[in-house]
Amino acid sequence: MICRRRFFLLTLCLCLLGLAACDSSDTAPLPLNLYECDAGEAAVRHVIGALPDLNPGVAKSYSIVLGEINRDGMTPASDAFTKRFEDLKLKFVNAQNLKDIEPNHTIADPETRLPAFVLQLRKLQPTSASTWEAEAGWSYKKEFERLKLSLEVKDGKTSVVKAEKLEGSAK
């Protein structure tokens, strides 16, 4: 009788652990193709809204990249995702078209040859059914900033509820 009870309790514990492992609120980062969602858009909009006014009066271009930027290059956001920002009336350039301008290796718009803001959605992960964490940032010439963002879905709208500067040269 005691062995059956122990067996039953052990089986129950293993089943509960198995269910916990299958929990849909897993905090692993999403694959890059899933960054182009409402939470990703809210994170990028927050970064755009917080950009400093560098080189006042000079026309600016913007480019959105997803994930890490490394020697192998960067993953450009899709044109469909970039179209979500049309209401901002900014000039967006697909990241694969950006040019490296010598001698300072400035990332520039290929049409104007002027420096471009590179907006990076580096990491995005759900933390619950209605909350997200993100790392996002920007660079312009030698200036840059990286932020940790907390996002929340409330009444169907995703917004940034907390932003913390992780690093950067911008003041």
Side-chain angles (χ1 to χ4, degrees), residues 77-146:
S78 70
D79 291 337
F81 184 66
T82 302
K83 284 185 189 283
R84 290 182 173 214
F85 303 92
E86 282 182 339
D87 62 303
L88 299 176
K89 309 257 188 277
L90 301 173
K91 181 182 181 190
F92 282 92
V93 176
N94 189 302
Q96 68 186 8
N97 297 327
L98 293 173
K99 298 293 179 204
D100 181 2
I101 306 293
E102 295 288 344
N104 299 329
H105 297 288
T106 301
I107 303 299
D109 179 332
E111 287 180 20
T112 65
R113 298 185 57 85
L114 293 172
F117 272 102
V118 177
L119 311 170
Q120 179 188 23
L121 183 53
R122 183 176 186 202
K123 182 172 141 185
L124 182 66
Q125 66 186 49
T127 53
S128 76
S130 62
T131 60
W132 298 77
E133 280 191 358
E135 273 189 34
W138 59 268
S139 66
Y140 181 83
K141 294 184 176 181
K142 293 185 189 235
E143 300 290 324
F144 73 97
E145 186 172 70
R146 189 165 55 97

